[in-house]
Amino acid sequence: MFDLTGQVALVTGASRGIGEAAARSLAKYGARVVLAARSAGDIERIAGEITASGSKASSVTCDVADYEEVASAIRHTVETFGAIDILVNNAGVIEPISRIEVSDPDGWDKVIDINVKGVYHGIRAAVPHMLEKGAGTIVNISSGAATGALEGWSHYCASKAAALSLTRCADKEFREKGIRVVGLSPGTVATQMQVDIKASGINPVSQLDPSVHIPPEWVGETICWLCTEAGDDYRGTDCSLRDEGVRKAVGVI
Ligand code: NAP
């Protein structure tokens, strides 16, 4: 059990998959949660379900590729619940999966807008509030792709490497000011993203049997764990959920 009572969290990409699981876990441990994504109906429904279960939740439509929309989501969080203590930069895409020689430059660019600039936008907009308080936790959802190379994933690997670099840089700037910036590499997770990867058939990840993927709830629990003192060990780096020791510490084995 992790105690996040009194904390206020914003989760991007909360309309399904890992983001939805993170929002539900954060609420379960006492945080007030704002769900952000482009699919208004889904985040409203999930926020409604969290509220009905006795926790506090709100939703805000937000495309993380647009800085003004991210800044507005942070303002919504502070106006609704009085603070922002936890930011989960989770929104991410892998489509269009494509080999470089036939890739669409606009599609490649869009992935960078979401997976890289989206993370920067979140940090940029949330940090002034956290600095004022002298405390806060930012969890950037990373991937093995941040340090590995896979055919057809040049956009995704480059974007996750850049997100890891943002984790490192932000830690350098804010560690001494009380802000914990950590990355989380979840391994393969049973979400729509893995359905899309399987359909591409392009590299060894697409050949994996779906039974090897971990449930998104494990990632939601790990995000909450990283929001406690346990997260101190992962400041400025990626924590790997493939690590058995991490799984044991979180309690998801
Ligand atoms: P998913 O099921 O496809 O969900 C992606 C989420 O991101 C959705 O809620 C989507 O909501 C949101 N999103 C996409 N573009 C957005 C935008 N421009 N603005 C705001 N929200 C946006 O994928 P997932 O597996 O949960 O992925 C979540 C994160 O985990 C990603 O960063 C991904 O790279 C990472 N990850 C996943 C795996 C895996 O195996 N699944 C492994 C490693 C890392 P809307 O479409 O409603 O906006």
Side-chain angles (χ1 to χ4, degrees):
M1 291 295 292
F2 318 115
D3 187 8
L4 300 177
T5 309
Q7 304 272 300
V8 178
L10 170 66
V11 182
T12 68
S15 62
R16 62 171 189 255
I18 291 170
E20 174 181 357
R24 291 186 189 277
S25 284
L26 287 159
K28 182 174 80 179
Y29 295 121
R32 288 162 285 166
V33 183
V34 175
L35 296 94
R38 296 166 303 180
S39 307
D42 289 328
I43 49 176
E44 274 168 28
R45 172 183 52 79
I46 299 161
E49 288 170 9
I50 292 173
T51 305
S53 73
S55 299
K56 289 204 162 59
S58 176
S59 64
V60 60
T61 309
C62 170
D63 180 342
V64 298
D66 183 320
Y67 179 68
E68 282 314 318
E69 291 196 23
V70 176
S72 171
I74 301 277
R75 276 197 300 276
H76 170 91
T77 304
V78 173
E79 282 164 18
T80 307
F81 293 128
I84 174 150
D85 303 298
I86 297 166
L87 169 66
V88 184
N89 276 318
N90 164 75
V93 292
I94 197 159
E95 290 290 2
I97 294 171
S98 170
R99 294 178 59 90
I100 294 171
E101 74 274 20
V102 289
S103 59
D104 169 26
D106 290 338
W108 210 97
D109 200 32
K110 187 68 193 160
V111 172
I112 300 302
D113 282 348
I114 296 169
N115 293 8
V116 182
K117 291 194 214 163
V119 173
Y120 160 73
H121 291 158
I123 296 170
R124 171 64 185 87
V127 152
H129 297 279
M130 293 177 173
L131 285 174
E132 215 171 281
K133 213 169 173 180
T137 302
I138 298 173
V139 182
N140 295 327
I141 303 303
S142 187
S143 163
T147 51
L150 281 149
E151 243 181 285
W153 287 20
S154 65
H155 57 338
Y156 188 75
C157 294
S159 72
K160 290 298 184 182
L164 173 55
S165 184
L166 281 168
T167 297
R168 291 189 179 125
C169 291
D171 170 61
K172 187 133 300 210
E173 293 194 23
F174 307 124
R175 180 187 287 234
E176 303 307 326
K177 295 173 178 155
I179 301 174
R180 187 165 38 212
V181 186
V182 302
L184 173 60
S185 176
T188 64
V189 188
T191 67
Q192 182 59 42
M193 186 172 281
Q194 284 297 339
V195 175
D196 296 342
I197 290 167
K198 184 135 210 76
S200 75
I202 213 168
N203 63 35
V205 183
S206 72
Q207 305 304 318
L208 292 173
D209 190 275
S211 64
V212 305
H213 304 323
I214 63 168
E217 288 74 19
W218 286 21
V219 190
E221 294 290 292
T222 308
I223 289 167
C224 293
W225 177 74
L226 287 169
C227 291
T228 69
E229 280 177 11
D232 287 354
D233 292 344
Y234 298 97
R235 285 180 293 185
T237 189
D238 279 351
C239 167
S240 173
L241 196 38
R242 287 189 188 277
D243 182 327
E244 290 272 316
V246 170
R247 291 185 181 192
K248 275 196 188 127
V250 178
V252 290
I253 285 186

